[in-house]
Amino acid sequence: KESTTVYVGKIPPSVDDDLVRTLLDACGDVRSWKRVMDPENNTPKRFGFCEFVDAEGVLRAMRILDGFPVAGEELLLNVNQATKAYVEHYTATRTVNAEEDAEVDAKRRESLQRAVASAGKSAEAVAFLSDALGGNGGNASTVLPPPPPPGGNSAATLGGFVAARDADSALPPPPPGGQHGGVEAPRAREPSMKERREEERRERQRREEERRVRV
């Protein structure tokens, strides 16, 4: 049975629905997005439910937006058993390989991170993303400005739907410190590939534990 609903949680209170919807549109065609409202004061709660048109949108949203940094917090995405079963069945016949996924994901993640990190207001971020995605965020063939080469391949782990994290999942590092006495501050050492993989493993473990607590 077709099921493509994704839970989107840990939405910062300062982030409005326009920005959340734009982030979701960047992952695929969205059939509906509903932010749950608090009936007592009619204010939006920190979670909602997105239904994508197809399984491809679910896969990309899990890879890109689960753990995506917004306003000092990280979004939390999850699916129910019906969506998990449907997407697993779809994945078994899917022809796109992990390298192709990683290339598209890196471009979209780069644009999303740049917009959210640089825009002081949600409206500005939405406008930036609309331009970056050519006004068609849900189109998987949209060509975005090329980012730096990704640090490695990434793919969603369907067992438990825990998204693999890679070096592109973090916000770009801040610029090096200013000069002191005419001498440029030393740059931080770039982490090795082994250190990055260990950090990714710890992050996946943390998010798995967080999901268990929520369930």
Side-chain angles (χ1 to χ4, degrees):
K1 182 179 179 180
E2 179 177 339
S3 178
T4 56
T5 299
V6 177
Y7 165 88
V8 183
K10 295 184 66 175
I11 303 171
S14 61
V15 174
D16 60 30
D17 277 353
D18 287 340
L19 178 56
V20 177
R21 176 60 188 261
T22 305
L23 294 175
L24 293 167
D25 282 338
C27 297
D29 293 326
V30 174
R31 179 174 289 133
S32 66
W33 157 248
K34 183 176 182 181
R35 181 93 167 255
V36 177
M37 303 296 292
D38 189 331
E40 294 184 359
N41 52 26
N42 198 35
T43 58
K45 291 190 175 183
R46 298 190 58 185
F47 65 94
F49 297 90
C50 175
E51 183 182 6
F52 285 96
V53 171
D54 52 33
E56 197 65 43
V58 177
L59 285 171
R60 180 159 286 122
M62 293 298 300
R63 292 196 305 265
I64 295 179
L65 296 183
D66 184 42
F68 187 84
V70 178
E73 300 192 47
E74 293 184 351
L75 298 179
L76 174 67
L77 271 65
N78 209 343
V79 297
N80 58 22
Q81 288 299 318
T83 298
K84 178 182 177 182
Y86 177 71
V87 174
E88 284 180 336
H89 176 74
Y90 166 79
T91 303
T93 60
R94 190 169 179 260
T95 58
V96 180
N97 60 42
E99 288 75 15
E100 292 172 324
D101 281 335
E103 182 179 359
V104 175
D105 292 349
K107 291 177 181 179
R108 289 174 183 264
R109 189 183 296 113
E110 175 77 10
S111 289
L112 296 179
Q113 289 175 341
R114 198 178 300 167
V116 174
S118 64
K121 299 179 181 178
S122 292
E124 295 173 2
V126 171
F128 180 97
L129 287 170
S130 179
D131 291 339
L133 297 172
N136 189 10
N139 188 343
S141 63
T142 301
V143 178
L144 301 177
N153 296 331
S154 63
T157 302
L158 289 175
F161 267 84
V162 179
R165 306 295 298 279
D166 58 31
D168 293 322
S169 296
L171 285 172
Q179 296 184 347
H180 301 280
V183 179
E184 184 177 356
R187 294 175 180 269
R189 182 181 67 84
E190 288 291 332
S192 66
M193 182 62 68
K194 182 178 180 181
E195 291 171 333
R196 288 181 177 178
R197 289 176 178 172
E198 178 63 22
E199 179 62 26
E200 292 164 10
R201 185 190 65 79
R202 288 197 296 266
E203 180 64 17
R204 287 196 298 271
Q205 184 178 27
R206 182 184 69 80
R207 297 196 67 78
E208 288 174 359
E209 293 175 352
E210 184 174 358
R211 277 198 180 84
R212 295 193 190 101
V213 172
R214 293 185 66 86
V215 172

